[in-house]
Amino acid sequence: MRTLDRHLASLFLRNLALIVGVLAGLYGLIEFIERVDDFIEHRAALLHYVRYPLYKLPVMVTQLLPMALMLAAFTTIGQLSRTHQLTALRSGGVSFWQTTRPLFAVGALFSLFMLAGNCWLVPWANREAGYILDTEIRGKESRKPANEDLYIRHGQSILRVARSYPQKNELQGVMLLDFDRHFNLTRRVEAQIARYEGKDLWRLQSVTERNFDPERRNLTSLKRYGELPVDLGSGPQELTEIWSTPTDLTVTELMEINARMERSGQNPRRYQSELYFRISQSVMPLIVVLIGVPFALQRGRKASLGAGVALCLAVFVIYILLQAIGMALGNSGLLPLPLAAWSANLLLVLTGAWLFLTLEN
C-alpha cells in the first residue's frame, strides 16, 4: 500500500500546489492594487516592493490554505473517479479509508504547519509588514493612528500609546499626561516616536511639550523639541499589552500578557480569546479534508471544479458565521472560551463524519 499512498499523496499535492499558486496570485494582485498608491505617493524604494510582499506571504498562505486544501481534495477525488481509478481500487478490495488515508495524512501535516504559522510566524510577519508600510514607506508625518488608543497609568502620570513595536524597542503616537496630587493636569507631552534606551528611559522624537497652571488650568508654556529623554516607567516588554489588537502578538507574548494581567488583577479575556481562536483555526486543514473527500466521493464523476468551488464558498461562509457567533458569545462571557472557539469546528467535524460514514450506503 505504500506505492498507492505515495501516488495518491503526490496527486493531491500537485493539485494543491496549483490551486495555492492561483489563489495566492489573485490575493497578491488585490493586495498590490490596494497598496500601490501608498508606494507611489511616498516614493517607496525598490527594496520595499520586495520586502513587503515577502512579509505578507505567510499571512496569504495561512488564510488561503484551508480553502485550497478543500479544493485540492475535491479535485483529486473527482480526477480519480473520472479516470476509473476509484472503481479499480474498489474492485481490488481497497476500502474508502485506505484510498483517502494519504489525503488525511497531508491534511494533518498542514494543520501542524498552520499551527506554527498562526502561533508565531504570521503575527511576526504581519507586524514587520505593518512596520514597513507605516514607518518606512508612509514616513513619520503620514502615519495613521491606530483604531484604538490605550492608556496606562504610572504614578501621577498617564501614558497613551497608539501602537507598540516591542521587538524594535519603539513606540508610536505617544502622549504623556502629568497630574498633581489633586489630579489637575500640569504637563502634556506628545511625540511621534519613542525609542527605548534602557532602565525605563525612552528618547522621544518630534516632541511637543505643553505646561499648564493646575490652579487656573490655562496653558503657561509651549515648547518643541527634536528629541527629549523621558522616563515612561516601563520597558518594551511591559508595554506589549498596549497593542490595539491581540492579532499582532505571538502566542508566547499572548501567554506572557495573560499571566501578567492575571497577577495584576486585570481581565485578560481578549488575549485568551485570541489564543483559543488561533489554536482552533489551525485544525481547519484536516477538517476541510474530512468534508471535501466524502462529498466528492458521493458526487463521483460529477465532482467538477465548479462544484468544489461552490462547496468551498458554502462551507467557509457557514464556518465564518458560526465562528463569529461563537467568539462573540465567548467574549461576552455567555460561553466558556474553549467551547466558543471550538464550536464551529465541532459542527464541521460532525458533518464530515456523517458524510464519511454514509458513503457505503
Side-chain angles (χ1 to χ4, degrees):
M1 296 301 295
R2 291 182 179 179
T3 302
L4 176 61
D5 290 344
R6 285 197 299 269
H7 168 69
L8 295 174
S10 63
L11 180 61
F12 182 43
L13 288 173
R14 285 198 300 270
N15 290 330
L16 177 62
L18 178 61
I19 294 171
V20 168
V22 172
L23 293 178
L26 293 174
Y27 192 119
L29 180 61
I30 295 173
E31 181 74 17
F32 176 77
I33 293 173
E34 289 182 352
R35 300 300 183 191
V36 68
D37 289 341
D38 283 326
F39 280 62
I40 295 175
E41 180 182 354
H42 299 100
R43 300 180 180 179
L46 180 61
L47 186 60
H48 292 140
Y49 285 87
V50 178
R51 291 176 59 209
Y52 182 78
L54 286 178
Y55 282 121
K56 291 296 290 185
L57 186 60
V59 181
M60 289 191 294
V61 172
T62 52
Q63 289 181 352
L64 297 174
L65 187 58
M67 180 175 291
L69 279 165
M70 177 175 282
L71 278 174
F74 199 88
T75 304
T76 301
I77 297 298
Q79 186 176 347
L80 293 174
S81 298
R82 288 190 298 272
T83 56
H84 305 286
Q85 294 183 59
L86 279 181
T87 303
L89 291 173
R90 291 290 291 160
S91 301
V94 180
S95 65
F96 283 138
W97 164 244
Q98 291 172 318
T99 303
T100 58
R101 181 174 56 193
L103 278 65
F104 284 102
V106 172
L109 181 64
F110 276 103
S111 289
L112 295 176
F113 168 79
M114 193 166 176
L115 176 63
N118 284 343
C119 290
W120 291 281
L121 179 60
V122 171
W124 170 80
N126 200 36
R127 199 155 58 192
E128 292 294 324
Y131 184 85
I132 291 173
L133 182 63
D134 294 336
T135 303
E136 297 184 6
I137 296 177
R138 288 174 176 163
K140 300 176 184 178
E141 299 298 332
S142 60
R143 186 176 297 110
K144 297 180 179 179
N147 293 330
E148 179 183 3
D149 293 329
L150 301 182
Y151 293 81
I152 299 175
R153 182 171 180 176
H154 177 70
Q156 295 294 113
S157 302
I158 294 179
L159 173 66
R160 169 262 194 185
V161 179
R163 195 160 181 80
S164 169
Y165 294 92
Q167 301 301 327
K168 297 180 179 295
N169 295 337
E170 180 177 309
L171 306 176
Q172 295 178 0
V174 178
M175 181 173 66
L176 181 65
L177 304 175
D178 292 335
F179 299 87
D180 62 11
R181 59 188 182 90
H182 299 294
F183 209 71
N184 295 315
L185 183 64
T186 60
R187 187 177 71 149
R188 173 174 173 170
V189 179
E190 297 179 66
Q192 293 182 355
I193 293 179
R195 290 192 171 91
Y196 188 62
E197 294 192 340
K199 296 183 179 180
D200 298 341
L201 184 65
W202 295 77
R203 183 163 295 276
L204 308 184
Q205 298 181 356
S206 301
V207 186
T208 301
E209 181 184 21
R210 295 178 175 88
N211 292 289
F212 299 88
D213 185 340
E215 295 181 358
R216 297 181 180 180
R217 299 182 182 181
N218 59 344
L219 180 67
T220 59
S221 66
L222 173 63
K223 300 178 182 179
R224 301 185 187 276
Y225 306 93
E227 292 186 347
L228 180 67
V230 174
D231 184 356
L232 296 182
S234 301
Q237 295 305 320
E238 287 77 13
L239 293 174
T240 303
E241 62 262 34
I242 63 176
W243 284 88
S244 57
T245 57
T247 55
D248 292 321
L249 301 174
T250 65
V251 164
T252 305
E253 292 168 337
L254 287 172
M255 294 175 67
E256 291 176 354
I257 292 173
N258 177 66
R260 189 158 59 245
M261 294 184 73
E262 286 182 342
R263 288 195 300 267
S264 62
Q266 302 179 57
N267 184 10
R269 176 170 286 271
R270 69 175 186 145
Y271 298 102
Q272 294 175 346
S273 174
E274 177 67 19
L275 183 60
Y276 285 118
F277 173 74
R278 289 190 199 176
I279 296 174
S280 66
Q281 195 181 43
S282 300
V283 300
M284 276 301 291
L286 186 58
I287 294 177
V288 295
V289 173
L290 179 63
I291 294 177
V293 165
F295 192 82
L297 288 171
Q298 289 183 350
R299 296 281 297 179
R301 298 178 185 177
K302 297 180 181 180
S304 61
L305 181 61
V309 172
L311 174 66
C312 283
L313 293 176
V315 168
F316 280 95
V317 167
I318 294 173
Y319 174 77
I320 291 172
L321 289 175
L322 293 176
Q323 190 77 30
I325 294 172
M327 295 309 298
L329 294 175
N331 290 329
S332 63
L334 297 177
L335 282 179
L337 281 177
L339 178 60
W342 285 88
S343 57
N345 289 359
L346 292 175
L347 291 174
L348 291 183
V349 167
L350 292 175
T351 302
W354 178 79
L355 290 172
F356 202 90
L357 293 175
T358 58
L359 279 177
E360 295 291 346
N361 295 330

